[in-house]
Amino acid sequence: MRALVVRPPVPGVELVDCPAPERPAGSIRVAVRECGVCGTDHDIVEGKYGRPPDGASFLILGHENLGVVREGDPAAPEFAPGDLVVATVRRGCGRCRFCLANRSDFCETDAFTERGIRGAHGYMAEEYVETPDYLVRVPAGLGPIAVLLEPLSVVEKAIDQGQRVLDRKEPTPGHPRPEAARALVAGTGAIGMLAALLLVIRGYDVTAVDRRGEDTFAARLLGRIGAKHVDVAAGFGAVGARRFDLIVEAAGSTAVDFSSIDRLGPNGVIVLTGIPDATERPVPVPGGQIFRDLVLGNQAIVGSVNANRTYFETGLEDLGRIEERWPGALASMITSRRPIESYREVLLSAAPGAVKTVLTIGVGAPPS
Ligand SMILES: [Zn+2]
Ligand SMILES: [Zn+2]
């Protein structure tokens, strides 16, 4: 079968022929239809990150996936040939209590693997094999947008973590909140835009910031869903005096993180999802001011990574909700679909203005 492979830490990516995986009893064989491309893939292709499976000389890339069941198993009658499926990404260490409870996104040993990222082959190939535990069945109607389920699962977890921190306050019976809770989303890439959609669905008054001006796809989509867009190229002053209950950081920029922490309201929480470059030049920060405000304002900073199966399942429900409320909005976020043969242009540089680029693979006739 054809597969896109990398050999980290050597930069680069190639389309190669390699043997299709064996299917052990109890597993499902899936024909990949398409894979989304994200910043993690670019980092791996640049050699900054990524690890082949033990004993292998290369790693098959790709973690944002949508496929079609090609071969089922009598032990898993719920998966029939032709069914659409999305596979989760992380595989537990098998030792810690979180992995044993199917919540490897909270793994405590760092011995987990991630398909397409570290220690396990990914999905940018014609086929993969997986056990039913890690496969989520997708209703046919959501096929055109289901490649967004994996990134959405990451957003589902991040917002859930933030909400849990906000909910630590005792309820105030008889004294309801006078206005909608406010959320700020920093960054308007795919993760930021999915966060904005989800937060509007959850009833938040949403503001999203980036540094790309007003004439962008993201700014227009934010307008359509009733969220505010603010260009902060000249600084966070453009946001005005507003303070926020929940900030979702999806920019991966330390400078943006510290600018946005300053916008936390009383009892607020900022959830960080972007992964800054650990080798970037140190950013000077007013540490005393930030920690003082955190203490005096009961505020919290929370990091959130990956997502367990539960978040794929809530994500599937929310894909349906978002599609119902703003038909076509999610499909429009897939700014281009390119055949796997175009992998060089897609993976070696990020197209300006693209929200989500998707590679179509194998039998993967793209949904029209
Ligand atoms: Zn991704
Ligand atoms: Zn673990």
Side-chain angles (χ1 to χ4, degrees), residues 93 96 99 107-109:
C93 69
C96 83
C99 290
C107 180
E108 291 182 326
T109 68

Side-chain angles (χ1 to χ4, degrees), residues 38 63-64 150:
C38 80
H63 58 277
E64 304 184 3
E150 193 281 335

Side-chain angles (χ1 to χ4, degrees), residues 23 34 64 82 115 155 160 203 218 234 254 257 290 314 324 362-363:
R23 186 183 73 82
E34 52 189 17
E64 304 184 3
R115 293 198 67 155
V155 174
D160 177 54
T254 312
D257 293 356
I290 290 171
T314 53
E324 194 176 272
V363 294

Side-chain angles (χ1 to χ4, degrees), residues 4-353:
L4 282 179
V5 306
V6 290
R7 299 170 201 275
V10 181
V13 55
E14 13 169 0
L15 184 59
V16 302
D17 245 309
C18 64
E22 302 282 321
R23 186 183 73 82
S27 293
I28 309 292
R29 182 180 301 279
V30 178
V32 178
R33 177 184 275 191
E34 52 189 17
C35 279
V37 174
C38 80
T40 301
D41 299 308
H42 288 293
D43 285 349
I44 296 172
V45 167
E46 286 171 28
K48 288 183 193 164
Y49 199 65
R51 195 182 78 215
D54 287 344
S57 61
F58 62 83
L59 169 73
I60 298 178
L61 192 63
H63 58 277
E64 304 184 3
N65 66 95
L66 173 66
V68 183
V69 172
R70 177 167 280 172
E71 192 185 347
D73 190 275
E78 67 275 28
F79 293 99
D83 285 351
L84 286 178
V85 288
V86 169
T88 65
V89 175
R90 192 176 282 194
R91 302 293 172 263
C93 69
R95 303 203 299 266
C96 83
R97 62 197 177 110
F98 289 104
C99 290
L100 293 172
N102 299 320
R103 292 168 63 197
S104 58
D105 55 323
F106 284 106
C107 180
E108 291 182 326
T109 68
D110 201 43
F112 58 84
T113 60
E114 288 178 336
R115 293 198 67 155
I117 301 175
R118 51 179 260 178
H121 285 315
Y123 307 113
M124 288 180 182
E126 285 176 46
E127 286 187 355
Y128 70 90
V129 163
E130 191 48 273
T131 54
D133 286 357
Y134 301 119
L135 293 173
V136 180
R137 230 156 51 102
V138 173
L142 294 178
I145 52 176
V147 72
L148 296 173
L149 181 57
E150 193 281 335
L152 180 61
S153 74
V154 170
V155 174
E156 291 276 350
K157 175 179 172 182
I159 292 175
D160 177 54
Q161 296 300 302
Q163 192 63 53
R164 284 167 189 259
V165 176
L166 292 174
D167 291 347
R168 78 201 185 283
K169 294 167 290 177
E170 296 296 320
T172 50
H175 304 281
R177 208 193 151 90
E179 50 176 16
R182 290 174 179 173
L184 176 74
V185 177
T188 58
I191 294 289
M193 293 305 292
L194 289 170
L197 287 159
L198 208 51
L199 287 164
V200 174
I201 287 274
R202 299 269 198 274
Y204 279 87
D205 174 357
V206 176
T207 300
V209 300
D210 61 22
R211 296 167 171 172
R212 296 191 289 184
E214 291 304 327
D215 186 24
T216 63
F217 167 82
R220 286 187 287 277
L221 181 54
L222 288 163
R224 180 180 170 199
I225 67 171
K228 291 175 203 67
H229 170 257
V230 180
D231 180 358
V232 293
F236 262 69
V239 178
R242 289 169 76 85
R243 292 285 181 273
F244 298 88
D245 301 280
L246 173 60
I247 300 178
V248 177
E249 180 282 331
S253 153
T254 312
V256 170
D257 293 356
F258 284 112
S259 305
S260 53
I261 281 176
D262 196 37
R263 293 303 164 141
L264 270 183
N267 311 319
V269 53
I270 178 168
V271 184
L272 309 179
T273 73
I275 304 176
D277 185 344
T279 62
E280 74 175 19
R281 252 198 306 158
V283 176
V285 293
Q289 179 75 48
I290 290 171
F291 283 177
R292 182 177 186 276
D293 290 351
L294 279 170
V295 172
L296 297 181
N298 299 301
Q299 295 164 338
I301 305 174
V302 175
S304 179
V305 70
N306 190 251
N308 63 54
R309 187 190 175 94
T310 316
Y311 296 113
F312 282 75
E313 283 163 359
T314 53
L316 206 50
E317 288 168 25
D318 283 324
L319 278 182
R321 282 192 194 106
I322 293 168
E323 177 61 18
E324 194 176 272
R325 183 141 163 203
W326 304 289
L330 287 162
S332 71
M333 280 180 51
I334 301 173
T335 36
S336 73
R337 278 194 167 85
R338 309 294 308 278
I340 191 171
E341 292 79 11
S342 312
Y343 68 97
R344 280 198 194 87
E345 330 155 21
V346 172
L347 285 165
L348 296 178
S349 62

